[in-house]
Amino acid sequence: MNHGFVKVAAAVPELKVANCEFNSEKIVEFIMKADKEDCQIILFPELSITAYTCGDLFHQEILLEQSMTYLSSILENTKDTDIVAIVGMPVKIDAQLFNSGVVIQSGEILGVVPKTYIPGYKEFYEERWFASGVKALSDTVWLCGRNVPFGVDLLFDAVNFNGACFGVEICEDLWVPVPPSSYQSMLGATMLFNLSASNEIIGKSEYRRELIKQQSAKCIAGYIYASSGIYESTTDIVFGGHALIAENGGVLCENERFSMNGQLLCCEIDVAKLNNDRMKNTSFMEANVKNRARKIGFNIKEAKLNDICRFIDPHPFVPADVGSRDKRCREIFDIQTSGLAKRLIHTGVKNTVIGISGGLDSTLALLVTWKTFEILGIPMENIHAITMPGFGTTDETYYNALELMKSLNVSIKEIDIKPSCIQHFKDIGHDMSIHDVTYENVQARERTQILMDISNKINGIVIGTGDLSELALGWCTYNGDHMSMYSVNCSIPKTLVKFLVEWVADNMSNQNTRSVLKKILSTPISPELLPPDEKGNINQKTEDIIGPYELHDFFLYHMIRYGASPDKILFLCRKAFNGSYEDDVIIKWLKTFLKRFFSQQFKRSCLPDGPKVGTISLSPRGDWRMPSDADVNLWLKDI
C-alpha cells in the first residue's frame, strides 16, 4: 500500500557544455539510480541534455540535431524502466526554438512543456534564442520519430493513483507574480516540477528557497526543484546545483550546493494529504480559471513503501527547535490572554473563578488569567482561585496548588469537598467503597457546582481548564470539569501544555512562581479522583488508563488535520516513534482513541467558548462538526 505517497527525485548530474553524449549518459545513470531507489518521478535541470550555458550555439543545427539524437538514446536506454523522467532540451517547432521540459517514461515521450517566461535582463539573455511557450502555434511536435503533445497547457495525470497529477514549469516561470504552476495546481496538479538553471549570487539561494516554500504553500502542492550545477560555463556566472523538495510550505529535503559530484535528492510527496487539504480549503478553487489543461494519462510506477525518507514528527504540536518552540509558546499565550481579555471587556466582569488542582492544565489556565488581569489592570485579588481537595488529592498537589496561588497574589479559598460528596453518596444511595465512575464524577461535579455558584455570588465567570487532548478523548466529566464560562485551554494539546507552563516559568514569572512551576511540571498527570496509594502518592495516572498522550496527540493531529485513515496513521506512527512502541501497543491505543473519539462527541457538541490557537480545534461552532452517534466500525476495521 502506498498510503498516498509518491516518491520523487531531483537530480543534479555532472555535465559538459554542448556535449550531449556525455550529458545523456549521466542522465541515464541518474534515472537508473533513482529507479533502484524506488523513485517514481525524477527531475533534471533546465536544458540538461545540452547544458544551459550554450549561448549562440543554440542556433547551431548540429547542437539541435545532437540533442534530438541523444534524447533518442535516453529513451532507448530507459525503455525497460517505469520511472517518469523530466529532462530539459531545446525543441524546434514552427520556426521557433523553445526551452522545454520533456516528460518521458518507458522509452516513450508523454509530452513536452515549453518555458513560458523568457528572461532578457541583467545576466539573462534567453530571449536571444528562445520563444515563449504561449507563442507556439502547434499543440503537438514531431520528436524522435513520433508526434507528441506539446504546450504550456499539459498536465500529467496518473490513472492508477488517485490525485497523483503533476505539472511542469521552467526556472523563470516561478519568479513571476503568477507562475504557471498556480494555474496548474488549480487545474489538478498536486506536484509541481521545475527544471532550472539559476545562478548563484549572494543571498539568492535563501530567496529562491522562500519562493519555492511559498509557492508550494499557496498551491497546496509538492514542489520539486532541480538547478544546474557547477559544470555549467563559468564565463560570467556560477551555478551551484541547488536541489530542493518542498511540500505545502515546508522543505522536506535540500542538497548542499557547489558539489563537485553529481547529486540525487529523494523524498516522498504526501499526495493524499495535499488532496485532503485542498478539499477542505474551499476557497482554493474559487479563482476563475479560464485556462483548461490537456491531461496526459500515464501509469505511475508501483513502488515499495516499507519505509519513507521524510521525517515524521512524533510530536507534531511541539516544535523540536527551542527557538521555534519559544516563539510558538509566546504566540499561543498571547492568543489565550487576548481571548480572555476581550471576554472580560465585553461582559464588564471584573472577577474570575478558577479551580486549582496543582496539575498542569489548571496551572496554565491560572497563568493565562493572571497575565490577562495584569494587561487589563485588574487587581489580582479579583482572581478567585479555589482549591477543593477530595478523596484522591495528594499532599504534593495540594501544597503545589497553595504555593502557586500565593506566589501570584490571587485570592485563595479552600473548600474540602469530601463532606458534600459523602452526603451526596447517601442521597443517591451509592456505596462509597465502590470506586467506580459514579464515585469519580460526583467529585468532579461537586467542584464545578462550587465554582459556578461562587461565580454567581461575586458576579464573575468560571475559567475552564480542560485541554484539547482531553476533549478529543472525552476525558472529562459531562457537566463537571467539562463545563465553564470561558475555556482558555480548549485547543491546547496535552503535549504542548507543559511547554507553555515551562515557557511562562522561564520568561514571565518571579522566582517563587518559577520554583513551584518546576515542581508542577514534574508531577504525573492525574485527575486525582481515586484515593492515593499507601504511601500517599498519586494512585490514578491518566496515561496508565487511556494511554500515552504523545500517541493520542499524534493520532488526533493526523486524523483531524489531514483526514488520514487509521491504517496510514499506524504506518506514520511506526516511522515517527521508531521502535519506541511495539505494534500491538500502538494498535491498542489507536483503537482506544477511535472508540473514545467517536463515543464522546456529545461532550464536544456543547462546549463553552474558547480561543482557537492552532490548526486543530474541536469547537462545534468552528472546526469540527460531527454527529454524536456516528459509527466507528469503519475506522476500526481499517486497522
Side-chain angles (χ1 to χ4, degrees):
M1 182 177 289
N2 58 47
H3 295 291
F5 289 105
V6 173
K7 191 169 185 180
V8 298
V12 184
E14 302 96 326
L15 62 80
K16 293 182 180 181
V17 178
N19 188 331
C20 298
E21 180 180 10
F22 177 87
N23 297 340
S24 68
E25 288 173 356
K26 287 297 178 181
I27 288 171
V28 170
E29 179 184 319
F30 273 80
I31 290 174
M32 294 307 186
K33 184 177 180 181
D35 191 45
K36 288 180 181 177
E37 294 285 331
D38 272 326
C39 294
Q40 293 158 292
I41 307 173
I42 180 172
L43 173 73
F44 288 90
E46 185 175 8
L47 296 166
S48 46
I49 292 179
T50 58
Y52 175 77
T53 49
C54 290
D56 283 350
L57 295 178
F58 283 123
H59 286 157
Q60 296 289 307
E61 283 297 322
I62 188 172
L63 182 65
L64 300 180
E65 290 172 0
Q66 282 291 292
S67 66
M68 192 78 70
T69 297
Y70 283 100
L71 173 62
S72 295
S73 175
I74 293 169
L75 294 172
E76 177 63 25
N77 284 289
T78 60
K79 65 182 180 182
D80 295 325
T81 67
D82 293 327
I83 188 172
V84 172
I86 307 166
V87 300
M89 64 177 288
V91 174
K92 186 170 65 173
I93 178 177
D94 299 328
Q96 299 179 92
L97 192 62
F98 296 95
N99 179 345
S100 303
V102 182
V103 182
I104 65 175
Q105 183 187 38
S106 303
E108 295 297 328
I109 301 172
L110 298 180
V112 180
V113 181
K115 188 172 183 175
T116 298
Y117 293 94
I118 311 300
Y121 58 89
K122 293 185 178 180
E123 65 264 43
F124 303 108
Y125 38 95
E126 283 183 47
E127 289 177 337
R128 184 178 175 94
W129 315 296
F130 298 111
S132 167
V134 298
K135 295 181 179 179
L137 302 178
S138 303
D139 59 9
T140 60
V141 60
W142 188 258
L143 208 58
C144 299
R146 64 210 84 181
N147 200 38
V148 297
F150 176 88
V152 296
D153 61 340
L154 297 185
L155 292 181
F156 302 85
D157 195 12
V159 297
N160 60 335
F161 193 124
N162 184 37
C165 177
F166 71 87
V168 174
E169 64 183 6
I170 302 176
C171 200
E172 183 77 4
D173 290 346
L174 172 64
W175 297 68
V176 301
V178 185
S181 54
S182 295
Y183 296 107
Q184 292 169 358
S185 64
M186 287 187 286
L187 291 167
T190 50
M191 294 172 288
L192 307 166
F193 290 84
N194 188 314
L195 310 88
S196 184
S198 184
N199 64 304
E200 301 295 346
I201 55 175
I202 295 171
K204 188 175 182 180
S205 65
E206 289 87 352
Y207 186 79
R208 186 192 300 128
R209 183 183 302 108
E210 290 304 313
L211 267 183
I212 293 168
K213 286 170 61 178
Q214 184 183 61
Q215 187 65 0
S216 74
K218 288 172 63 179
C219 295
I220 313 179
Y223 202 101
I224 301 89
Y225 180 91
S227 184
S228 299
I230 63 168
Y231 292 105
E232 288 281 0
S233 171
T234 58
T235 301
D236 290 303
I237 53 178
V238 172
F239 296 83
H242 199 178
L244 190 151
I245 300 174
E247 181 185 283
N248 202 9
V251 174
L252 298 178
C253 57
E254 184 175 6
N255 73 335
E256 185 173 338
R257 294 173 298 135
F258 304 109
S259 172
M260 300 298 293
N261 301 312
Q263 293 179 291
L264 182 69
L265 196 66
C266 303
C267 201
E268 301 82 12
I269 300 296
D270 194 340
V271 169
K273 184 170 77 172
L274 295 168
N275 276 312
N276 184 266
D277 244 15
R278 288 182 177 186
M279 181 175 62
K280 287 188 288 192
N281 186 351
T282 54
S283 61
F284 182 79
M285 293 299 294
E286 284 295 312
N288 183 18
V289 184
K290 295 181 181 179
N291 299 339
R292 288 291 177 265
R294 285 182 288 160
K295 290 192 174 181
I296 310 300
F298 71 101
N299 281 298
I300 199 165
K301 169 188 169 183
E302 293 290 334
K304 298 174 184 176
L305 196 70
N306 298 322
D307 195 8
I308 51 179
C309 303
R310 58 190 284 163
F311 172 72
I312 304 297
D313 194 340
H315 305 113
F317 292 109
V318 183
D321 174 69
V322 175
S324 299
R325 188 166 66 231
D326 285 349
K327 184 178 179 181
R328 181 170 298 184
C329 286
R330 177 179 292 278
E331 187 168 15
I332 290 172
F333 201 71
D334 285 345
I335 292 171
Q336 290 178 284
T337 55
S338 297
L340 180 56
K342 163 61 177 174
R343 181 53 52 99
L344 293 174
I345 292 169
H346 173 72
T347 59
V349 167
K350 301 291 185 182
N351 292 282
T352 58
V353 180
I354 183 169
I356 305 300
S357 67
L360 283 169
D361 288 345
S362 64
T363 295
L364 177 58
L366 179 58
L367 293 170
V368 170
T369 308
W370 163 75
K371 185 61 179 177
T372 304
F373 273 50
E374 181 182 273
I375 292 169
L376 296 178
I378 303 174
M380 292 304 167
E381 57 262 29
N382 286 26
I383 300 174
H384 298 263
I386 304 172
T387 185
M388 296 167 281
F391 302 113
T393 304
T394 60
D395 289 345
E396 181 182 13
T397 55
Y398 171 72
Y399 287 114
N400 283 346
L402 288 177
E403 192 177 340
L404 175 64
M405 293 185 288
K406 289 175 183 175
S407 75
L408 295 174
N409 297 314
V410 300
S411 295
I412 302 171
K413 191 174 184 66
E414 179 179 336
I415 300 176
D416 186 347
I417 67 167
K418 293 191 286 294
S420 298
C421 291
I422 291 170
Q423 180 60 50
H424 191 61
F425 290 143
K426 291 177 182 178
D427 292 341
I428 66 173
H430 182 74
D431 183 350
M432 63 178 293
S433 67
I434 300 174
H435 297 164
D436 58 5
V437 67
T438 303
Y439 178 87
E440 295 184 37
N441 286 349
V442 161
Q443 297 171 73
R445 292 196 179 100
E446 177 62 25
R447 286 176 173 139
T448 300
Q449 177 177 272
I450 289 170
L451 297 175
M452 291 289 183
D453 291 345
I454 290 177
S455 73
N456 292 157
K457 184 178 178 181
I458 63 173
N459 189 29
I461 64 171
V462 176
I463 305 301
T465 62
D467 63 49
L468 177 68
S469 308
E470 291 178 341
L471 293 173
L473 293 162
W475 191 249
C476 52
T477 300
Y478 191 79
N479 210 29
D481 55 307
H482 157 261
M483 195 47 60
S484 66
M485 295 169 182
Y486 197 74
S487 182
V488 294
N489 294 342
C490 63
S491 60
I492 313 293
K494 185 72 80 175
T495 48
L496 189 55
V497 170
K498 65 179 181 180
F499 290 102
L500 278 162
V501 172
E502 187 174 42
W503 177 81
V504 175
D506 293 339
N507 293 277
M508 293 187 136
S509 60
N510 57 48
Q511 183 55 47
N512 290 338
T513 304
R514 186 177 303 115
S515 177
V516 68
L517 290 179
K518 296 297 184 181
K519 293 179 187 176
I520 292 169
L521 284 163
S522 64
T523 306
I525 300 169
S526 172
E528 291 196 315
L529 296 173
L530 296 180
D533 63 21
E534 62 277 3
K535 295 182 180 179
N537 297 321
I538 291 173
N539 191 34
Q540 185 185 23
K541 296 179 181 178
T542 299
E543 292 182 295
D544 290 344
I545 302 167
I546 59 170
Y549 271 115
E550 66 175 357
L551 286 182
H552 288 310
D553 281 358
F554 185 89
F555 303 153
L556 175 68
Y557 179 82
H558 288 279
M559 177 179 170
I560 302 301
R561 179 68 181 86
Y562 297 116
S565 66
D567 187 50
K568 183 172 182 177
I569 291 171
L570 178 59
F571 174 80
L572 295 174
C573 196
R574 290 184 185 123
K575 171 72 175 178
F577 288 96
N578 192 28
S580 297
Y581 295 97
E582 297 294 334
D583 261 18
D584 58 341
V585 174
I586 298 174
I587 290 170
K588 172 188 173 181
W589 296 126
L590 179 53
K591 287 181 177 179
T592 296
F593 172 83
L594 292 169
K595 289 175 183 176
R596 292 195 66 95
F597 187 85
F598 274 74
S599 67
Q600 301 295 298
Q601 171 62 26
F602 73 98
K603 294 178 182 177
R604 298 188 292 270
S605 293
C606 54
L607 289 177
D609 294 352
K612 175 181 177 179
V613 302
T615 54
I616 294 176
S617 167
L618 295 176
S619 167
R621 297 166 298 277
D623 290 59
W624 190 252
R625 296 166 180 82
M626 170 183 169
S628 298
D629 49 6
D631 195 324
V632 70
N633 283 319
L634 180 64
W635 282 259
L636 292 176
K637 287 178 181 177
D638 192 60
I639 302 174

